[in-house]
Amino acid sequence: MALRNDQVRWGAVSQLLHWLIVALVAAQVSLALVAKHFHHGPKFVAILGMHKSLGITILALVVVRLLWRWSNPVPELPGTLKPHERALARTTHVVLYVILFALPLTGWAGSSAHGIAVRWFDLFTLPNLVGKNPALSGVLGGVHWLLAVLLGLVVVLHIAAALRHHYVLKDDTLRQMLPFGRSTVSGETGGDRARRASGV
Ligand code: HEM
Ligand code: HEM
């Protein structure tokens, strides 16, 4: 599989980044929920430390992902999609990117406001984003939680759309994001596919 994207498929780098971030987000939610069971004891601190390190890793991976996206072609959406479906797909992706930035940043700023500097895997300490401020820390904690809930809702919509493409519309959208997925019409470009879909 090619490393770079083309008009028809996501390349290996984009796919790896997509699925790595999915796995890390799942780990993040699990760690946060498990930490809550330990009520601020040493295990809570250790698990939350891992949550913070992985969260910062996600932030870095999202930056790499966007830089890679801007320096590569982006596979075209199927030509069969109606304008409002295209708009919904684009909006969902933008919202996902915004949340993938906002969640780690509110977590990082919340820790700073709480007076605890964020360490990355015990290797180095990140600068505080804001000064110590318990009231702000509470607000940021609430926003962090709300963003996590919003991410869950948008991801459900995103997965439903991927499954609809695959099982109902029977197009290549999901296959384009899978390493073993192959275009149903080999050698076809996104433009060819759009023309075939519109019958021109
Ligand atoms: C995409 C990345 C992240 C996701 C999906 C995520 C998700 C979550 C979730 C679901 C919770 C539990 C919400 C609650 O009950 O309050 C939580 C709590 C928390 N997160 Fe994150 N988080 C991310 C990144 C970060 C980062 C980068 C930091 C800090 C550097 C951070 C720090 C915290 C803290 C301090 C809590 C509160 C724990 C507590 O006191 O109960 N998070 N996060
Ligand atoms: C935490 C969970 C997930 C997040 C944060 C996420 C995020 C994203 C983002 C931001 C994009 C846009 C890529 C771009 O245009 O640069 C995308 C594309 C995509 N995702 Fe996900 N995703 C998640 C889970 C999933 C799952 C579980 C599936 C499969 C069932 C999936 C299937 C796809 C597909 C097929 C695309 C390509 C859509 C297209 O070509 O327009 N995603 N994802």
Side-chain angles (χ1 to χ4, degrees):
M1 193 207 308
L3 286 182
R4 292 176 61 83
N5 305 338
D6 57 36
Q7 244 78 44
V8 182
R9 283 184 63 74
W10 295 96
V13 174
S14 295
Q15 290 193 20
L16 181 70
L17 287 167
H18 178 270
W19 294 111
L20 188 59
I21 291 171
V22 173
L24 289 176
V25 167
Q28 277 303 81
V29 175
S30 314
L31 285 171
L33 297 181
V34 170
K36 284 203 165 282
H37 285 285
F38 292 101
H39 304 294
H40 296 263
K43 281 210 171 144
F44 173 86
V45 175
I47 296 172
L48 202 60
M50 177 59 82
H51 177 89
K52 292 178 183 184
S53 297
L54 287 184
I56 296 298
T57 309
I58 293 176
L59 182 61
L61 289 174
V62 174
V63 172
V64 173
R65 187 169 168 185
L66 276 178
L67 292 175
W68 185 256
R69 189 188 200 280
W70 289 327
S71 55
N72 266 259
V74 173
E76 289 173 23
L77 291 169
T80 43
L81 286 192
K82 299 186 181 71
H84 75 272
E85 291 173 319
R86 285 170 182 277
L88 184 62
R90 296 229 163 84
T91 308
T92 308
H93 294 161
V94 170
V95 171
L96 283 170
Y97 278 122
V98 169
I99 300 176
L100 288 174
F101 271 104
L103 253 173
L105 287 175
T106 49
W108 181 358
S111 288
S112 306
H114 197 64
I116 303 174
V118 175
R119 281 190 59 75
W120 191 76
F121 291 111
D122 264 336
L123 290 174
F124 57 86
T125 305
L126 295 168
N128 284 325
L129 291 183
V130 292
K132 190 170 177 180
N133 181 339
L136 180 63
S137 162
V139 172
L140 289 169
V143 174
H144 192 68
W145 179 81
L146 270 178
L147 286 169
V149 173
L150 187 62
L151 177 64
L153 294 176
V154 181
V155 165
V156 168
L157 180 68
H158 180 65
I159 294 175
L163 297 179
R164 176 171 178 260
H165 277 288
H166 195 71
Y167 291 108
V168 181
L169 304 176
K170 297 189 191 301
D171 62 37
D172 287 331
T173 306
L174 180 56
R175 281 187 208 95
Q176 287 168 351
M177 199 37 115
L178 296 173
F180 43 84
R182 205 161 273 152
S183 172
T184 43
V185 184
S186 60
E188 182 182 56
T189 66
D192 292 341
R193 193 179 50 186
R195 277 190 289 282
R196 180 170 57 80
S198 59
V200 181

